[in-house]
Amino acid sequence: MGLKITENMPELGVTKVNRTSDRELVVQRAFNAPARIVFEAWTRPDLFMRWWAPKSIGVPLLSCEMDVRTGGTYRIVFGQDVANSRAFFGKYLEVVPGSRLVWTNEEDPHGAVTTVTFQETGGKTLLTFKEVYPSKEALDEAFIGMEGGMPEQLEQLDALLNELCQS
């Protein structure tokens, strides 16, 4: 851990969660993996299901459908069973393979627009996850969960990437 990739990147294994304005949240983490593999982990349902749900909350992902193309849709369902589940869904506004994803979060009438970028430097990838909310109140409500859950999710992604890069 502790290795600094460049001046603009956080240390490997460190997740930074910051409010950059009243309506914007930015999360960054550097991974010891090429951007194409990090991108695959965000866009292949079989890989996404292995890391997205924070294990500490004890609520697994039941299903994940992704049509990863500009104009395509996604639907992710969490829960102990179908009767006690919650769906997250939206559409992809922009998809640039290996470098950028932008999607809507339509399950909430005050949902954010999410942008994830993948910047590779020397075989390592800086992931920047940015959400823009329609109001300060919507961000206030989301921030608590993101501040606690996102670092755990990205730790789980890190473990998956280590496994994928070794095989």
Side-chain angles (χ1 to χ4, degrees):
M1 302 277 171
L3 172 65
K4 193 101 164 157
I5 300 170
T6 71
E7 288 306 309
N8 297 330
M9 293 177 120
E11 294 180 20
L12 284 173
V14 175
T15 300
K16 295 185 177 190
V17 180
N18 296 300
R19 290 179 77 140
T20 55
S21 75
D22 283 348
R23 296 180 39 231
E24 185 176 85
L25 169 74
V26 175
V27 179
Q28 288 190 307
R29 186 174 176 119
F31 296 95
N32 189 18
R36 68 178 175 73
I37 293 176
V38 182
F39 187 84
E40 279 186 21
W42 281 81
T43 58
R44 281 185 37 197
D46 61 319
L47 296 177
F48 190 85
M49 287 186 70
R50 292 176 58 189
W51 68 270
W52 184 254
K55 289 184 173 116
S56 68
I57 65 170
V59 181
L61 255 131
L62 297 175
S63 67
C64 177
E65 300 167 18
M66 297 174 155
D67 179 10
V68 185
R69 62 182 173 82
T70 300
T73 61
Y74 72 91
R75 182 176 179 82
I76 303 162
V77 179
F78 292 87
Q80 297 300 331
D81 54 49
V82 176
N84 298 300
S85 65
R86 180 168 179 208
F88 293 85
F89 55 91
K91 68 180 173 182
Y92 293 99
L93 301 176
E94 184 180 353
V95 176
V96 180
S99 107
R100 183 176 169 91
L101 293 168
V102 181
W103 68 82
T104 62
N105 295 275
E106 297 176 13
E107 69 280 349
D108 179 348
H110 304 292
V113 172
T114 304
T115 301
V116 181
T117 59
F118 309 82
Q119 286 181 280
E120 186 172 334
T121 303
K124 295 169 180 30
T125 301
L126 173 63
L127 178 124
T128 302
F129 176 99
K130 178 170 53 170
E131 288 196 320
V132 178
Y133 290 82
S135 68
K136 178 185 181 306
E137 294 73 27
L139 175 54
D140 289 345
E141 186 175 313
F143 186 73
I144 295 167
M146 294 295 279
E147 190 176 37
M150 201 71 183
E152 183 178 357
Q153 287 172 286
L154 295 182
E155 285 173 22
Q156 292 170 182
L157 174 57
D158 208 356
L160 174 63
L161 294 170
N162 287 336
E163 180 185 318
L164 294 174
C165 288
Q166 303 230 346
S167 56

Coordinates of all heavy atoms in Angstrom, one line a residue, residues 16-51:
K16 N -10.7 7.9 -1.1 CA -11.0 9.3 -0.7 C -12.5 9.6 -1.1 O -12.8 9.5 -2.3 CB -10.0 10.3 -1.3 CG -8.6 10.1 -0.9 CD -7.7 11.1 -1.4 CE -6.3 10.9 -0.8 NZ -5.4 12.0 -1.1
V17 N -13.3 10.1 -0.1 CA -14.7 10.5 -0.4 C -14.8 11.9 0.0 O -14.5 12.3 1.2 CB -15.6 9.6 0.5 CG1 -17.1 10.0 0.2 CG2 -15.4 8.1 0.2
N18 N -15.1 12.8 -0.9 CA -15.2 14.2 -0.7 C -16.5 14.8 -1.3 O -16.9 14.5 -2.4 CB -14.0 14.9 -1.3 CG -12.7 14.5 -0.7 OD1 -12.5 14.7 0.5 ND2 -11.8 14.0 -1.5
R19 N -17.0 15.8 -0.6 CA -18.1 16.6 -1.1 C -17.3 17.8 -1.8 O -16.6 18.5 -1.1 CB -19.0 17.2 0.0 CG -19.9 16.1 0.6 CD -20.7 16.7 1.7 NE -21.8 17.4 1.1 CZ -23.0 17.4 1.6 NH1 -23.3 16.7 2.7 NH2 -24.0 18.1 1.0
T20 N -17.5 18.0 -3.0 CA -16.8 19.1 -3.7 C -17.7 20.3 -3.9 O -17.2 21.3 -4.3 CB -16.3 18.6 -5.1 OG1 -17.3 18.0 -5.9 CG2 -15.2 17.5 -4.9
S21 N -19.0 20.2 -3.6 CA -19.9 21.3 -3.7 C -21.2 20.9 -2.9 O -21.2 19.8 -2.4 CB -20.3 21.7 -5.1 OG -21.2 20.8 -5.7
D22 N -22.2 21.7 -2.9 CA -23.4 21.4 -2.2 C -24.2 20.2 -2.9 O -25.0 19.6 -2.3 CB -24.4 22.6 -2.2 CG -23.9 23.6 -1.1 OD1 -23.1 23.3 -0.3 OD2 -24.5 24.7 -1.2
R23 N -23.8 20.0 -4.1 CA -24.6 19.0 -4.9 C -23.7 17.9 -5.5 O -24.2 17.0 -6.2 CB -25.3 19.7 -6.1 CG -26.4 20.6 -5.6 CD -27.1 21.3 -6.8 NE -27.3 20.4 -7.9 CZ -27.0 20.7 -9.1 NH1 -26.5 21.8 -9.5 NH2 -27.3 19.8 -10.1
E24 N -22.4 17.9 -5.2 CA -21.5 17.0 -5.9 C -20.6 16.2 -4.9 O -20.0 16.7 -3.9 CB -20.6 17.7 -6.8 CG -19.7 16.8 -7.6 CD -18.9 17.6 -8.7 OE1 -17.8 18.1 -8.3 OE2 -19.4 17.7 -9.8
L25 N -20.5 14.9 -5.1 CA -19.7 14.0 -4.3 C -18.7 13.3 -5.3 O -19.0 12.9 -6.4 CB -20.6 12.8 -3.8 CG -19.9 11.6 -3.1 CD1 -19.4 12.0 -1.8 CD2 -20.9 10.5 -3.0
V26 N -17.4 13.3 -4.8 CA -16.4 12.6 -5.6 C -15.6 11.6 -4.8 O -15.2 11.9 -3.6 CB -15.3 13.7 -6.1 CG1 -14.2 13.0 -6.9 CG2 -16.0 14.7 -7.1
V27 N -15.5 10.4 -5.3 CA -14.8 9.3 -4.6 C -13.6 8.9 -5.6 O -13.9 8.8 -6.8 CB -15.7 8.1 -4.4 CG1 -14.9 7.0 -3.7 CG2 -16.9 8.5 -3.6
Q28 N -12.4 8.8 -5.0 CA -11.3 8.3 -5.8 C -10.5 7.2 -5.1 O -10.4 7.2 -3.9 CB -10.3 9.5 -6.0 CG -10.8 10.5 -7.0 CD -9.7 11.5 -7.3 OE1 -9.1 12.1 -6.5 NE2 -9.5 11.7 -8.6
R29 N -10.0 6.3 -6.0 CA -9.1 5.2 -5.5 C -8.3 4.8 -6.6 O -8.7 4.7 -7.8 CB -10.0 4.1 -5.0 CG -9.1 3.0 -4.3 CD -10.0 1.9 -3.7 NE -9.2 0.8 -3.2 CZ -9.1 0.5 -1.9 NH1 -9.9 1.1 -1.0 NH2 -8.4 -0.5 -1.5
A30 N -7.0 4.5 -6.3 CA -6.1 4.0 -7.3 C -6.0 2.5 -7.1 O -5.9 2.0 -6.0 CB -4.7 4.7 -7.1
F31 N -5.9 1.8 -8.3 CA -5.9 0.3 -8.3 C -4.6 -0.1 -9.0 O -4.2 0.5 -10.0 CB -7.1 -0.3 -9.0 CG -8.4 0.0 -8.3 CD1 -9.2 1.1 -8.6 CD2 -8.8 -0.8 -7.2 CE1 -10.4 1.4 -7.9 CE2 -10.0 -0.5 -6.5 CZ -10.8 0.5 -6.9
N32 N -4.1 -1.2 -8.6 CA -2.9 -1.8 -9.2 C -3.4 -2.8 -10.3 O -3.2 -4.0 -10.3 CB -2.0 -2.5 -8.2 CG -0.7 -2.9 -8.8 OD1 -0.3 -2.4 -9.9 ND2 0.0 -3.9 -8.2
A33 N -4.1 -2.2 -11.3 CA -4.6 -3.0 -12.4 C -4.8 -2.0 -13.6 O -5.1 -0.8 -13.4 CB -6.0 -3.5 -12.0
P34 N -4.7 -2.6 -14.8 CA -5.0 -1.7 -16.0 C -6.4 -1.3 -16.1 O -7.3 -2.0 -15.6 CB -4.6 -2.6 -17.2 CG -4.4 -4.0 -16.6 CD -4.3 -3.9 -15.1
A35 N -6.6 -0.2 -16.8 CA -8.0 0.4 -16.9 C -9.0 -0.5 -17.5 O -10.1 -0.6 -17.1 CB -7.9 1.7 -17.6
R36 N -8.5 -1.3 -18.5 CA -9.5 -2.2 -19.2 C -10.0 -3.2 -18.3 O -11.2 -3.6 -18.4 CB -8.8 -2.8 -20.4 CG -7.7 -3.8 -20.1 CD -7.1 -4.5 -21.4 NE -6.0 -5.3 -21.0 CZ -6.1 -6.5 -20.4 NH1 -7.3 -7.0 -20.0 NH2 -5.0 -7.1 -20.0
I37 N -9.2 -3.7 -17.3 CA -9.7 -4.7 -16.4 C -10.7 -4.1 -15.3 O -11.7 -4.6 -14.9 CB -8.6 -5.5 -15.7 CG1 -7.9 -6.3 -16.8 CG2 -9.0 -6.4 -14.6 CD1 -6.6 -7.0 -16.3
V38 N -10.3 -2.9 -14.9 CA -11.2 -2.1 -13.9 C -12.5 -1.8 -14.6 O -13.6 -2.0 -14.0 CB -10.5 -0.9 -13.4 CG1 -11.4 -0.1 -12.4 CG2 -9.1 -1.2 -12.8
F39 N -12.5 -1.4 -15.8 CA -13.7 -1.1 -16.6 C -14.5 -2.4 -16.7 O -15.8 -2.3 -16.5 CB -13.3 -0.6 -18.0 CG -14.5 -0.1 -18.8 CD1 -15.0 1.2 -18.6 CD2 -15.1 -0.9 -19.7 CE1 -16.1 1.6 -19.4 CE2 -16.1 -0.5 -20.5 CZ -16.6 0.8 -20.3
E40 N -13.9 -3.5 -17.0 CA -14.7 -4.8 -17.1 C -15.4 -5.1 -15.8 O -16.5 -5.6 -15.8 CB -13.8 -5.9 -17.5 CG -13.4 -6.0 -18.9 CD -12.6 -7.3 -19.3 OE1 -12.6 -8.2 -18.5 OE2 -12.0 -7.2 -20.3
A41 N -14.7 -4.8 -14.7 CA -15.3 -5.1 -13.4 C -16.6 -4.3 -13.1 O -17.5 -4.6 -12.4 CB -14.3 -4.9 -12.3
W42 N -16.7 -3.1 -13.8 CA -17.8 -2.2 -13.7 C -18.9 -2.5 -14.7 O -20.0 -2.0 -14.6 CB -17.4 -0.7 -13.9 CG -16.8 -0.2 -12.6 CD1 -15.5 -0.3 -12.2 CD2 -17.4 0.7 -11.7 NE1 -15.3 0.4 -11.0 CE2 -16.4 1.0 -10.7 CE3 -18.7 1.2 -11.5 CZ2 -16.7 1.8 -9.6 CZ3 -19.0 2.0 -10.4 CH2 -18.0 2.3 -9.5
T43 N -18.6 -3.3 -15.8 CA -19.5 -3.4 -16.9 C -19.9 -4.9 -17.2 O -20.8 -5.1 -18.0 CB -18.9 -2.8 -18.1 OG1 -17.7 -3.4 -18.5 CG2 -18.7 -1.3 -18.0
R44 N -19.3 -5.8 -16.6 CA -19.7 -7.2 -16.8 C -20.5 -7.7 -15.5 O -19.9 -7.7 -14.4 CB -18.4 -8.1 -16.9 CG -17.8 -8.1 -18.3 CD -16.7 -9.0 -18.5 NE -16.9 -10.3 -17.8 CZ -15.8 -11.2 -17.6 NH1 -14.6 -10.9 -18.0 NH2 -16.1 -12.3 -17.0
P45 N -21.7 -8.0 -15.7 CA -22.6 -8.4 -14.6 C -22.0 -9.5 -13.7 O -22.1 -9.4 -12.4 CB -23.9 -8.9 -15.2 CG -23.9 -8.1 -16.5 CD -22.5 -8.0 -17.0
D46 N -21.3 -10.5 -14.2 CA -20.8 -11.6 -13.4 C -19.7 -11.0 -12.5 O -19.5 -11.5 -11.4 CB -20.2 -12.7 -14.3 CG -19.1 -12.3 -15.3 OD1 -19.2 -11.2 -15.9 OD2 -18.2 -13.0 -15.4
L47 N -18.9 -10.1 -13.0 CA -17.8 -9.5 -12.1 C -18.4 -8.4 -11.2 O -18.1 -8.4 -10.0 CB -16.8 -8.8 -13.0 CG -16.0 -9.8 -13.9 CD1 -15.0 -9.0 -14.8 CD2 -15.3 -10.8 -13.1
F48 N -19.3 -7.6 -11.7 CA -19.9 -6.6 -10.8 C -20.6 -7.2 -9.6 O -20.5 -6.6 -8.5 CB -21.0 -5.8 -11.7 CG -21.5 -4.5 -11.1 CD1 -20.8 -3.3 -11.2 CD2 -22.7 -4.6 -10.4 CE1 -21.3 -2.2 -10.6 CE2 -23.2 -3.4 -9.8 CZ -22.5 -2.2 -9.9
M49 N -21.3 -8.3 -9.8 CA -22.0 -8.9 -8.7 C -21.1 -9.4 -7.6 O -21.5 -9.6 -6.4 CB -22.9 -10.1 -9.2 CG -24.1 -9.6 -9.9 SD -25.2 -10.9 -10.4 CE -25.9 -11.3 -8.8
R50 N -19.8 -9.6 -7.9 CA -18.8 -10.1 -6.9 C -18.3 -9.0 -6.0 O -17.7 -9.4 -5.0 CB -17.7 -10.8 -7.7 CG -18.1 -12.1 -8.4 CD -17.0 -12.7 -9.2 NE -15.9 -13.1 -8.4 CZ -14.7 -13.5 -8.9 NH1 -14.6 -13.6 -10.2 NH2 -13.7 -13.8 -8.1
W51 N -18.5 -7.7 -6.3 CA -17.9 -6.7 -5.5 C -18.8 -5.6 -5.1 O -18.6 -4.9 -4.1 CB -16.6 -6.1 -6.1 CG -16.9 -5.3 -7.4 CD1 -16.9 -5.8 -8.6 CD2 -17.2 -3.9 -7.4 NE1 -17.2 -4.8 -9.5 CE2 -17.3 -3.6 -8.8 CE3 -17.2 -2.9 -6.5 CZ2 -17.6 -2.3 -9.2 CZ3 -17.5 -1.6 -6.9 CH2 -17.7 -1.3 -8.3

